[in-house]
Amino acid sequence: MNASEPSLALSELAATITATGTLPERMGIEIVEASPERVVGVMPVAGNVQPYGLLHGGASCVLAETLGSIGAALYAMRRHGGIAVGVDINATHHKGVRSGNVTGVATPLKLGGSVASYEIVITDDGGDRVCTARLTCLLRKQSTDGDAS
């Protein structure tokens, strides 16, 4: 395999990220579309609320980090057969949501040689912005023994 070919197919990556027992699976996150340039996912509000019945801000961050990390991982695979690890996330919560689903769309702010940054916009079923997040991932090459270097 050369450096421009992903080490995992997209379907394998999505299956790995949302596998049984992982946080995205427990949160009910479904990946709808994924490429280094755009990742879309949906998450139910039910089961992901805080005591006031509103979507938990941490749940929005989990959705944001999941989507941004997928984009960065796909970019790292394409660029040099590597991996991506999150190093910073921040989020602004704009509106409370009590029911339905939220949809996150991650798009790159910068795809560099060692860092990838994504903006993730999360909206409710009506299309209103619920949260805006930014995720920065460090891109690592895979060593010959499979460890990140």
Side-chain angles (χ1 to χ4, degrees), residues 36-37 68 71-73 75-76 78-79 84 106-120 134-139:
E37 292 76 25
Y75 175 69
R78 179 200 296 163
R79 183 166 173 86
T107 54
L109 294 169
K110 174 69 175 171
L111 298 176
S114 60
V115 172
S117 294
Y118 283 79
E119 177 181 61
I120 304 92
R134 192 191 77 226
L135 175 73
T136 301
C137 291
L138 179 64
L139 307 177

Side-chain angles (χ1 to χ4, degrees), residues 13 19 28 36 51-52 64 73 75 95 107 110 122:
L13 178 64
Y52 299 119
Y75 175 69
K95 176 185 174 189
T107 54
K110 174 69 175 171
I122 300 172

